[in-house]
Amino acid sequence: MKSPLFESLSALLGVIILLFLILPLASITIGTTPSEILKTLTEKEVIESIAVTFWSALIATVFGTITGIPLAYLTARKKNIAFELIEAGMQVPIIIPHSAAGIALLSVFGSQKLESITGVSFMGSVAGISAAMTFVSVPFLYNSAVEAFRSVAAPLEQMARACGDGPFRSFFRITLPLATRGIISGMIMMWARGISEFGAVIIIAYHPMIAPVLIYERFTSFGLDYARPVAVIMLFICSLIFMSLFYFTRRRKC
Amino acid sequence: MLELKNIKYRAGAFQLGIIELTIERGEYFVLLGPTGSGKSLTLNLIAGFIELESGSINIHGNCVNKQPPEKRRIALVTQNVDLFPHLNVKDNILYSVRAKKNLVDEIAKRLNISQLFERKPSTLSGGEAQRVAIARALMCEPEILLLDEPLGSLDPSTRREIRNLLSEINEIKRTTFIHVTHDFEEAAALADRIGILFNGKLKQVGRVEEIFSAPVDAETAMFIGHRNVLHGKIVNIDGEQFFQVENVKFEIPQNKYCGNAVYTVNPNSIIVSVERMNSSARNSLKGRIINIEEAPSAVYVQIDVGVKLTSMITKKSAAELKIEVNKELWVTIKSTALHRI
């Protein structure tokens, strides 16, 4: 049984961190009038930047899911030094400064050679934005998926094999459905992290302008009042979408 | 028929094998051994979950070493049940691509699980879940059913129920059963034959009574529940052979062997009496009761005659003899009841 003092102290510390998070968000929301928000929403530049942001993050998430999920599965199942190193290495994009990530990406995606091989121009394009978003956000999906696969007991897969399933079939009938919740959470986290990316994107693709870059540009060019309505709109849309998705994933039961 | 030929496998410091074993079609074979002896590893090799290092596994004469698990026509039931948690009972039973839908009703009726079809595995009791797991395995129409400690996590009454069920299914289906356990009583109740596995080595294979009456060594004897395992030496005295344990000498049948030896005596073969018996039995020793242990249908009386011997007597005999700790009794053993291992 917890003591009242312990619970009171825990609650007090919790309130401090909640205020730390809520106050800035509340401040910009309260400091922006509905008419400012409505006016901003009619600006083509704002709408386009929000669309580019969400679309690029979606492309990054789909690409990260297709390529990252198999790697996450192998990491969860293979117990050897190579995969331990891979798992550690996958955390690097989280810990390095994102401007440094942007420079690193520029050295690969900025080359003409890659453009001539793939036929895709990454500089100043949605492809470049998605590449930057993938780089910085895929670890969130990967980590979540690794944990989700680890939570699926390997004997269940063996049981499926004994019942006549090949490796692909057992993966899609047993492993993937049981890991779905963790994977979807990871996808949401990756998408969210992609949407909020600024440092890496601004180096590889200033244009087309994503919302975080637009907010920064308006702030540096015209000041806080001009940047604030875009920030509030992004805050509102993101909160709505992520709360809905989290609610959906939490409700899913195995 | 399943043949394991020259099976060897190393897992870290543990070495399994060499194992040579043939299990006939329809046989109920129990692999018995303590924890960590390599029983589950052997099942995993048969199932194809682990690739063999050397040797071969033949099913009906065909080498299956290179076949993945899904091609081997095996099915598995484990202690942890391992039902698919996101599927209901019916979907679990019908999971196998080999499942024949027309068998569902018959198997569900036999295993008494029809009423559970719509339930999720997390809502089942241990016994219900194990019955569903057995049904799922049977729906695969396996050539070989592998049972990895299937009764391990069940309470005694459910264990008895599932044990009877397994025995009945083996009789009816004539599928080959390979059942792994560390419980000799369970093995004895189910097995056509038992294989004793210790530290990765298959020490003895035989029918239950063969193994119980002639365990291959002291370790096996102790493991299968022999209460009288005596370590001593065979000595010649005046042209007669005795088995000497400390200062106690047992007369034994003549044999050519002399030196250190281990003998067992079945508790059933030790007669206790208040007076010395005048009989054909060659060994009569006076001792004192040091322990009395009541079993459901008998009483185990441990008597110190210089070495400790345990006799099994009926409750009626115990009452008539008025046995109590420290009471002096005579112990009578036929020399032929002493079995050298």
Side-chain angles (χ1 to χ4, degrees):
Chain A
M1 194 173 155
K2 300 281 185 296
S3 75
L5 177 65
F6 175 80
E7 290 192 356
S8 304
L9 194 62
S10 301
L12 178 69
L13 294 169
V15 167
I16 292 170
I17 192 66
L18 281 173
L19 287 174
F20 182 80
L21 296 173
I22 291 167
L23 278 179
L25 301 176
S27 170
I28 60 161
T29 308
I30 293 163
T32 311
T33 62
S35 61
E36 281 177 311
I37 291 171
L38 288 172
K39 184 171 170 286
T40 307
L41 275 173
T42 60
E43 292 174 35
K44 193 181 169 207
E45 187 185 32
V46 173
I47 299 300
E48 280 180 356
S49 74
I50 290 171
V52 169
T53 309
F54 281 80
W55 179 237
S56 305
L58 186 64
I59 292 170
T61 305
V62 170
F63 178 71
T65 303
I66 293 167
T67 54
I69 296 298
L71 182 65
Y73 176 73
L74 291 175
T75 309
R77 286 288 177 262
K78 304 282 179 191
K79 291 174 178 63
N80 60 43
I81 187 77
F83 279 96
E84 282 174 19
L85 288 172
I86 288 170
E87 192 171 3
M90 284 296 285
Q91 312 311 313
V92 171
I94 296 174
I95 57 167
I96 61 168
H98 286 184
S99 50
I103 299 294
L105 285 164
L106 190 63
S107 66
V108 175
F109 293 102
S111 80
Q112 290 296 320
K113 206 171 174 182
L114 185 68
E115 191 177 332
S116 64
I117 292 168
T118 61
V120 179
S121 170
F122 289 92
M123 298 304 295
S125 69
V126 169
I129 297 168
S130 295
M133 288 177 170
T134 303
F135 187 88
V136 297
S137 62
V138 78
F140 293 92
L141 168 64
Y142 170 83
N143 289 342
S144 189
V146 168
E147 286 313 309
F149 286 131
R150 280 186 181 142
S151 72
V152 180
L156 288 177
E157 293 172 355
Q158 292 182 337
M159 200 57 81
R161 299 288 302 274
C163 285
D165 279 359
F168 283 95
R169 217 175 146 82
S170 76
F171 179 79
F172 285 107
R173 292 179 78 193
I174 300 299
T175 318
L176 200 57
L178 290 173
T180 299
R181 204 166 147 185
I183 291 171
I184 289 177
S185 290
M187 288 168 74
I188 293 169
M189 290 300 294
M190 181 178 175
W191 192 42
R193 185 64 196 82
I195 285 169
S196 63
E197 180 50 25
F198 171 75
V201 172
I202 202 168
I203 288 172
I204 203 162
Y206 196 91
H207 289 283
M209 207 173 275
I210 59 168
V213 176
L214 180 71
I215 293 166
Y216 172 74
E217 194 204 49
R218 290 194 170 192
F219 175 66
T220 51
S221 305
F222 309 105
L224 182 61
D225 288 345
Y226 200 58
R228 199 161 44 203
V230 188
V232 172
I233 291 165
M234 279 300 286
L235 177 65
F236 182 74
I237 296 172
C238 289
S239 303
L240 200 67
I241 291 171
F242 296 135
M243 277 196 263
S244 311
L245 288 172
F246 267 109
Y247 180 71
F248 169 73
T249 52
R250 289 280 153 98
R251 273 179 58 108
R252 278 178 64 97
K253 293 246 164 47
C254 281
Chain B
M1 186 170 74
L2 172 75
E3 292 168 291
L4 307 182
K5 287 186 173 174
N6 198 28
I7 298 292
K8 257 164 81 177
Y9 186 84
R10 179 173 285 281
F14 181 79
Q15 169 81 54
L16 179 73
I18 301 166
I19 290 180
E20 292 277 347
L21 180 64
T22 301
I23 298 170
E24 296 299 329
R25 191 175 211 154
E27 186 175 0
Y28 201 124
F29 189 87
V30 175
L31 204 51
L32 178 72
T35 305
S37 57
K39 308 183 298 290
S40 295
L41 179 62
T42 308
L43 281 199
N44 283 335
L45 288 166
I46 295 168
F49 299 144
I50 303 172
E51 206 170 317
L52 266 181
E53 279 173 3
S54 72
S56 70
I57 296 173
N58 299 346
I59 298 177
H60 303 321
N62 301 318
C63 177
V64 297
N65 284 17
K66 297 290 172 196
Q67 278 185 8
E70 60 271 21
K71 303 279 184 206
R72 294 194 182 190
R73 298 300 300 252
I74 47 103
L76 184 64
V77 176
T78 66
Q79 180 179 1
N80 301 326
V81 183
D82 293 328
L83 293 176
F84 305 126
H86 57 307
L87 305 177
N88 65 20
V89 166
K90 190 171 186 184
D91 290 340
N92 262 283
I93 296 170
L94 285 167
Y95 183 86
S96 172
V97 288
R98 298 194 295 262
K100 290 189 178 140
K101 290 192 174 149
N102 57 336
L103 287 177
V104 173
D105 291 337
E106 181 202 327
I107 288 175
K109 194 175 167 192
R110 186 174 300 284
L111 293 164
N112 189 26
I113 53 170
S114 307
Q115 72 284 5
L116 308 174
F117 272 7
E118 299 308 318
R119 285 172 55 185
K120 283 282 176 77
S122 59
T123 68
L124 303 176
S125 69
E128 287 171 338
Q130 200 57 286
R131 290 206 305 268
V132 174
I134 293 166
R136 180 179 61 184
L138 293 176
M139 287 295 291
C140 296
E141 294 249 284
E143 301 275 359
I144 298 164
L145 179 58
L146 305 173
L147 301 149
D148 191 355
E149 306 253 7
L151 314 179
S153 59
L154 304 175
D155 62 76
S157 71
T158 313
R159 195 178 303 166
R160 260 194 307 279
E161 178 204 334
I162 301 288
R163 201 163 80 182
N164 294 339
L165 192 64
L166 288 171
S167 192
E168 186 190 318
I169 292 167
N170 177 250
E171 284 290 322
I172 295 165
K173 289 266 178 192
R174 298 312 297 164
T175 303
T176 307
F177 279 34
I178 305 176
H179 179 131
V180 151
T181 182
H182 59 268
D183 183 341
F184 180 71
E185 195 189 319
E186 184 178 314
L190 288 165
D192 292 327
R193 282 191 308 151
I194 292 176
I196 304 281
L197 195 66
F198 265 87
N199 295 325
K201 290 181 179 60
L202 192 60
K203 285 191 165 186
Q204 191 174 7
V205 176
R207 302 188 74 78
V208 179
E209 53 278 13
E210 286 167 5
I211 287 180
F212 195 77
S213 61
V216 70
D217 58 18
E219 199 176 28
T220 306
M222 295 294 281
F223 183 71
I224 63 175
H226 272 268
R227 291 179 178 239
N228 301 310
V229 181
L230 307 170
H231 294 257
K233 59 184 175 186
I234 297 172
V235 292
N236 272 312
I237 300 171
D238 299 332
E240 292 217 42
Q241 275 191 322
F242 292 88
F243 175 57
Q244 185 171 351
V245 187
E246 296 171 20
N247 294 321
V248 181
K249 292 186 190 75
F250 295 91
E251 200 171 319
I252 53 172
Q254 300 299 298
N255 65 62
K256 289 175 183 170
Y257 181 79
C258 260
N260 290 337
V262 179
Y263 273 80
T264 64
V265 193
N266 192 327
N268 289 323
S269 305
I270 298 179
I271 299 166
V272 291
S273 55
V274 177
E275 303 290 336
R276 182 174 186 150
M277 284 176 71
N278 187 12
S279 70
S280 64
R282 305 300 301 165
N283 297 292
S284 284
L285 302 154
K286 194 174 187 182
R288 190 180 296 276
I289 296 174
I290 54 172
N291 191 34
I292 299 164
E293 184 188 329
E294 291 222 16
S297 58
V299 178
Y300 288 97
V301 186
Q302 195 177 34
I303 304 145
D304 188 351
V305 294
V307 292
K308 288 166 188 165
L309 293 172
T310 301
S311 169
M312 188 175 85
I313 59 175
T314 62
K315 288 186 174 176
K316 193 175 173 188
S317 297
E320 281 177 11
L321 289 169
K322 296 189 176 94
I323 60 157
E324 58 185 15
V325 173
N326 282 328
K327 179 169 181 160
E328 287 194 338
L329 285 178
W330 280 87
V331 167
T332 305
I333 311 168
K334 289 178 76 171
S335 60
T336 49
L338 284 145
H339 172 72
R340 184 161 73 86
I341 56 179

